[in-house]
Amino acid sequence: MLFNSLAFALFLPLVFAAYWWLLPGRRAQNLFLLLASWLFYAWWDWRFLGLLWLSTAFDYVIGLQLHAARVDRRKAWLLASLFLNLGLLAAFKYLGFFVESAAAMLSSLGLDPHLPVLRIALPVGISFYTFQTLSYTIDIYRGHFTPTRDPVAFGAFVAFFPQLVAGPIERARDLLPQFERPRAFDREQAADGMRQMLWGFFKKIAVADAMGNIADAVFDLDPASTSGVTLFFGALCFAFQIYGDFSGYSDIAIGCARLFGFNLSRNFHYPYFSRSIGEFWRRWHITLSGWLRDYVYLPLGGARSTAGRLRNILVTFGVSGLWHGANWTFVAWGLVHGGYYVPEVLSNKRQRLRNEPTWRDLPRIALVFTAVLAVWVIFRAHTLEGAASHLRHIVANAGLRRYDLFEWLRWEVWWPVLLMLAAEWRSRRDAHALFDLGRSRTLRWAIYFALIIVILLRIQLFSEHAFIYFRF
Amino acid sequence: MPSSTSASSALRFALRAALLGGLVAGTMLAAVRWGPPAAPSPYMVSTVLKNERLRAIGSPKVVLLGGSNLSYGADSERIGQALCAPVANMGLTSQLGFRFVAEEALAVTGKGDLLVVALEHGTFRQPDPEPDVLATVVDYRPEAIELVPWRQRPRLWGSLGVLHLQSLHEYCWHWITKGTAPGYEERIFLPNGDLVNHLDAPVRHVAPPTAGFFDTLVIDPRFWTLAEDFVTRAQSRGAEAVFSFPCMAQRIHHDPVQRALKDSLVAHGLPVIGDPTHYVLADSLFYDSWYHPRRHGRAERTERLITDLCAAMPHRCCTNEGSVEER
């Protein structure tokens, strides 16, 4: 079920009403949330529900066994969890890619391997819930967390519908205890959740979908015969598309969870206002970055030595790229970001998030955004050659055509982006752009109403716009 | 039970949210009631013009039924000359579904009519109208709402409200920037229902076909019921109905799939003329979709259709036996 669908518009009020008015206590609410979450997932494709059940049941049992096992048996249980979760990911997400890459490599060596072309449907959300359950068993193994004995609470933690299919990737120590204590309706929390959802829908529908149409059209063109201005604006549109899409999803997820009394982790902290690449990665997809830091970078050795640190940074960024999809473009995207980050590490000038950016930081913000923009081209392109050609022709075909400027600088295309940037700049110290709308209720309601109307005006009824991160 | 404080607080919150929702719904209703029509483009408004044309010409006539492969890719004048009968090209978009186009034609089918059906690949999967697309025509033809199953009607009503709101916004914006209302009445089709503006336009980029779409054949079981009923009802009105094939670019042609489609149509006892492979043309002959031929492609497709019609129904072909009117 998509957040931006009529089905969800009916599903959410019904679940909300039953959850707060009909169900006696925490256990019944958890069971109801679990069933509702499975329904939410099955709406997309019920056949993949089995994978979710398998992952849930297996990690629940392994968590208990890990906790109870003798020290010498604990590693075996952890390996079983790693084998299952990474095995599922490998089978459904990467097998086809590995086979194709192996076939290409053997062909380049003059061999004709006749490997089968595999078309395996990717179960939506598998990258998110497998990482979430993996962190549960790893934390138990490390002694950071005690497993729950409540299978319903654990199932609801894995399948919690607001964040099931595209995060934020929650740690058990943050989310699971919330399922294990009673919840009371908090009007302020729910109202703020609704505001955050509204802002998320604005970013998804008014910004990302509109930008996506342009980006899709430009990235389908042949760069060699396209003007540099068009190629540049195509990349720019994609940068806002992916930000609006993913941060919009996260806002909707976090806001939706708050309606049910849950607090999810922050996933985006205005990343396009970053003053350095390091800061960008502390603001972009924060829960994935944290996961990779704790379960990949630090186990590899972290920052024990300069050489080891550089290697670990590149490996971690490479894994981050591969997590996004089974394509060399994603790996290259991660590695280039890692490469960007290396000089910062070497010069030891990491920008801390102690204070928020100001107007004086704008030149640095623009520089970082430009660097990030260039790498989005690699992320979006179908192939590495396509990405290289796109970037090359932005410069090579830079001869300005007047028509292009009129085409791209249209107010009706860009005003939602400008509104998003202005609102988020104003609220850069807050959790989301609608966090503080002043004390006037009339003004607040006018803003809500206007935003909903803008969203309705920008809805594209004749095309499906699933969230990009569902593919990952 | 949950604590009464929690439940009553949640109720108050829900009521406030519902009030906001009600304000928005009221605005949409006002736009539907008093705003401009919902059709977002002159293209979709053409359904009204096409329907007027269909009703205006009496029987016998030739009616072309299908999606945009017909509006872009059939020369109705030439077909009319070959069959000596007026032609109504009802092709618009495949998303209106076979149910819509069939009912539209059957409502005015009379003795001696020839109904030629050429459906795009996706229509066999989804013979019902897409609610969003249908919402663009119900302003003019409210009876069309009957063609949508009840479970899809909430979507249709929601779409109708959104489309009206968007249309109102477009009107206002157009008026502010240009000082006039937008020209929804603009006619982009010929009176016979053909679209010709694209014939000499340069080839536009066409997105590659979705993997697994054109190389698999999926036919919704409801299609067979609809198609068999369509043929029976046409015959009961003294008309003939035949199934032809859309013109398509080589890029999306999969021979086993097209053969299986024809075999399935024949196996269900539907009258089929020609062969899908006759309508496969070079990619370079198409405009902005693998179903939209430009001038040369349209001419080739038209001649092949005439050949197939004359071969299957020589009595219809006036070059053989004189015109239908003469007979």
Side-chain angles (χ1 to χ4, degrees):
Chain A
M1 194 182 295
L2 293 173
F3 283 158
N4 53 339
S5 67
L6 186 64
F8 185 73
L10 298 174
F11 170 87
L12 183 63
L14 290 176
V15 174
F16 178 87
Y19 180 83
W20 288 115
W21 296 323
L22 300 181
L23 297 166
R26 172 184 69 84
R27 287 180 187 281
Q29 286 179 329
N30 284 350
L31 181 61
F32 179 68
L33 276 184
L34 177 62
L35 296 175
S37 298
W38 286 345
L39 174 68
F40 178 89
Y41 192 76
W43 205 269
W44 166 69
D45 192 334
W46 60 269
R47 291 170 300 174
F48 289 115
L49 209 48
L51 282 180
L52 183 64
W53 289 342
L54 177 70
S55 183
T56 306
F58 205 76
D59 284 305
Y60 174 73
V61 172
I62 284 183
L64 292 173
Q65 296 298 332
L66 252 173
H67 190 62
R70 294 197 319 262
V71 175
D72 59 326
R73 302 295 302 274
R74 287 163 60 83
K75 191 166 259 178
W77 285 112
L78 177 68
L79 287 174
S81 173
L82 290 172
F83 183 77
L84 176 87
N85 287 298
L86 296 180
L88 284 178
L89 262 186
F92 283 93
K93 189 167 177 176
Y94 298 109
L95 191 58
F97 170 64
F98 290 145
V99 170
E100 273 178 37
S101 298
M105 196 175 73
L106 291 172
S107 296
S108 69
L109 295 173
L111 301 169
D112 193 3
H114 287 297
L115 294 175
V117 175
L118 298 174
R119 275 190 194 160
I120 303 171
L122 179 68
V124 71
I126 191 169
S127 305
F128 292 89
Y129 70 72
T130 51
F131 267 39
Q132 194 156 306
T133 51
L134 262 181
S135 74
Y136 172 75
T137 49
I138 295 171
D139 281 356
I140 293 171
Y141 173 77
R142 289 174 174 175
H144 295 167
F145 192 72
T146 310
T148 180
R149 296 197 168 275
D150 181 347
V152 174
F154 182 74
F157 154 72
V158 177
F160 189 37
F161 73 87
Q163 47 90 235
L164 170 62
V165 292
I169 302 169
E170 290 295 332
R171 306 294 178 85
R173 62 172 177 264
D174 296 327
L175 183 56
L176 197 47
Q178 297 186 54
F179 282 100
E180 293 175 323
R181 59 177 178 248
R183 296 173 288 275
F185 183 78
D186 180 338
R187 201 185 64 81
E188 280 306 313
Q189 185 191 32
D192 192 52
M194 284 285 272
R195 281 195 289 270
Q196 192 159 3
M197 287 181 76
L198 181 57
W199 187 244
F201 278 117
F202 172 79
K203 285 199 280 188
K204 165 63 182 161
I205 294 168
V207 175
D209 291 348
M211 291 287 106
N213 284 345
I214 302 174
D216 290 348
V218 174
F219 277 88
D220 277 338
L221 295 171
D222 173 19
S225 55
T226 307
S227 78
V229 176
T230 297
L231 295 172
F232 170 78
F233 274 102
L236 193 64
C237 288
F238 180 68
F240 289 118
Q241 180 198 5
I242 195 159
Y243 173 66
D245 193 284
F246 193 24
S247 74
Y249 181 92
S250 295
D251 281 337
I252 298 168
I254 293 167
C256 184
R258 300 192 84 193
L259 292 178
F260 297 93
F262 291 87
N263 285 311
L264 299 184
S265 305
R266 188 170 195 176
N267 217 17
F268 287 85
H269 187 172
Y270 314 122
Y272 287 160
F273 301 151
S274 302
R275 292 154 289 185
S276 68
I277 290 295
E279 186 180 357
F280 176 81
W281 278 102
R282 289 190 293 280
R283 289 170 175 269
W284 179 275
H285 204 172
I286 297 166
T287 56
L288 177 67
S289 303
W291 197 100
L292 292 172
R293 180 196 62 219
D294 292 349
Y295 303 109
V296 178
Y297 177 72
L298 292 177
L300 283 172
R304 278 186 211 146
S305 66
T306 304
R309 186 180 188 186
L310 295 182
R311 181 201 62 205
N312 297 340
I313 285 171
L314 288 176
V315 170
T316 307
F317 272 102
V319 171
S320 167
L322 196 59
W323 178 88
H324 282 84
N327 194 328
W328 290 113
T329 51
F330 294 119
V331 178
W333 169 79
L335 289 175
V336 175
H337 264 288
Y340 279 163
Y341 191 41
V342 165
E344 219 172 285
V345 172
L346 289 176
S347 64
N348 218 13
K349 282 185 182 169
R350 293 177 69 205
Q351 179 70 45
R352 292 284 171 196
L353 275 176
R354 271 194 294 267
N355 47 33
E356 292 299 332
T358 65
W359 292 105
R360 283 198 298 274
D361 294 316
L362 281 182
R364 287 167 70 191
I365 290 172
L367 194 65
V368 171
F369 180 75
T370 308
V372 170
L373 182 65
V375 200
W376 280 134
V377 172
I378 303 174
F379 189 95
R380 174 60 180 80
H382 302 296
T383 60
L384 287 175
E385 296 76 27
S389 176
H390 193 112
L391 287 169
R392 193 170 61 247
H393 285 99
I394 287 179
V395 180
N397 296 356
L400 187 70
R401 295 183 200 170
R402 184 177 293 273
Y403 171 76
D404 279 331
L405 266 190
F406 281 117
E407 178 76 4
W408 294 113
L409 296 180
R410 279 182 297 150
W411 170 247
E412 65 267 30
V413 172
W414 289 98
W415 73 260
V417 178
L418 297 174
L419 175 63
M420 175 185 77
L421 291 175
E424 296 203 333
W425 179 263
R426 172 191 165 274
S427 308
R428 61 194 181 281
R429 288 175 186 83
D430 299 327
H432 58 90
L434 304 185
F435 182 79
D436 179 13
L437 295 177
R439 297 180 67 83
S440 163
R441 180 181 291 174
T442 311
L443 176 67
R444 285 202 308 271
W445 275 62
I447 292 173
Y448 303 153
F449 181 78
L451 271 180
I452 294 172
I453 295 295
V454 166
I455 289 167
L456 292 174
L457 290 178
R458 306 285 291 195
I459 281 182
Q460 296 163 34
L461 286 176
F462 304 103
S463 47
E464 280 283 319
H465 286 281
F467 289 85
I468 293 178
Y469 266 66
F470 285 12
R471 298 176 209 157
F472 309 145
Chain B
M1 292 296 288
S3 79
S4 58
T5 318
S6 250
S8 61
S9 180
L11 180 62
R12 280 199 301 277
F13 174 79
L15 287 175
R16 281 173 186 230
L19 179 62
L20 183 61
L23 277 174
V24 174
T27 308
M28 288 163 76
L29 275 176
V32 173
R33 177 69 183 81
W34 293 293
S41 70
Y43 190 84
M44 292 308 298
V45 171
S46 310
T47 182
V48 183
L49 307 176
K50 286 183 177 233
N51 191 260
E52 283 170 3
R53 157 85 175 171
L54 183 67
R55 288 172 185 279
I57 54 175
S59 300
K61 60 182 173 291
V62 178
V63 185
L64 305 180
L65 299 170
S68 57
N69 82 84
L70 287 167
S71 53
Y72 281 82
D75 182 344
S76 299
E77 191 181 342
R78 173 74 190 98
I79 294 169
Q81 286 167 356
L83 302 182
C84 288
V87 177
N89 183 345
M90 302 303 291
L92 198 63
T93 166
S94 60
Q95 290 175 309
L96 281 172
F98 181 57
R99 188 189 297 274
F100 178 87
V101 295
E103 292 296 335
E104 185 172 41
L106 286 170
V108 290
T109 295
K111 191 171 180 214
D113 286 355
L114 172 60
L115 310 180
V116 182
V117 183
L119 302 175
E120 287 88 350
H121 197 66
T123 312
F124 294 98
R125 291 175 184 235
Q126 172 53 281
D128 286 329
E130 288 284 338
D132 294 341
V133 176
L134 196 66
T136 60
V137 303
V138 296
D139 271 341
Y140 310 99
R141 299 167 52 196
E143 75 281 3
I145 210 165
E146 298 298 326
L147 301 175
V148 177
W150 272 100
R151 65 187 163 80
Q152 290 190 332
R153 291 200 188 175
R155 170 88 192 212
L156 174 74
W157 292 326
S159 300
L160 200 57
V162 169
L163 286 169
H164 271 276
L165 210 55
Q166 293 179 342
S167 179
L168 178 64
H169 170 254
E170 194 177 325
Y171 251 70
C172 295
W173 184 252
H174 204 91
W175 190 82
I176 290 166
T177 55
K178 301 204 168 84
T180 55
Y184 282 129
E185 73 289 347
E186 181 187 352
R187 287 171 187 256
I188 61 170
F189 285 82
L190 297 180
N192 59 20
D194 290 359
L195 191 66
V196 293
N197 292 351
H198 69 292
L199 291 181
D200 297 314
V203 181
R204 281 173 56 174
H205 175 77
V206 186
T210 311
F213 184 75
F214 288 108
D215 50 2
T216 51
L217 179 63
V218 180
I219 303 180
D220 189 310
R222 289 171 302 163
F223 172 78
W224 298 120
T225 315
L226 279 173
E228 285 158 11
D229 178 60
F230 168 72
V231 173
T232 309
R233 286 165 65 191
Q235 287 170 348
S236 72
R237 287 164 168 77
E240 286 179 287
V242 291
F243 282 79
S244 176
F245 300 94
C247 52
M248 64 171 72
Q250 188 71 48
R251 176 92 185 250
I252 60 168
H253 174 66
H254 287 264
D255 204 49
V257 169
Q258 294 302 322
R259 290 201 182 284
L261 172 62
K262 181 179 178 182
D263 292 345
S264 298
L265 293 169
V266 172
H268 278 81
L270 298 172
V272 177
I273 59 161
D275 191 277
T277 53
H278 294 167
Y279 297 92
V280 179
L281 304 172
D283 292 357
S284 60
L285 298 181
F286 287 79
Y287 170 53
D288 63 346
S289 145
W290 304 122
Y291 283 121
H292 297 169
R294 295 185 299 145
R295 183 179 299 280
H296 186 59
R298 176 174 177 261
E300 271 200 44
R301 185 267 177 92
T302 302
E303 292 309 319
R304 289 178 193 186
L305 179 60
I306 291 168
T307 305
D308 284 338
L309 285 168
C310 289
M313 293 174 285
H315 59 283
R316 288 269 177 192
C317 201
C318 59
T319 50
N320 291 339
E321 297 178 26
S323 73
V324 174
E325 283 84 357
E326 285 166 6
R327 292 200 305 278

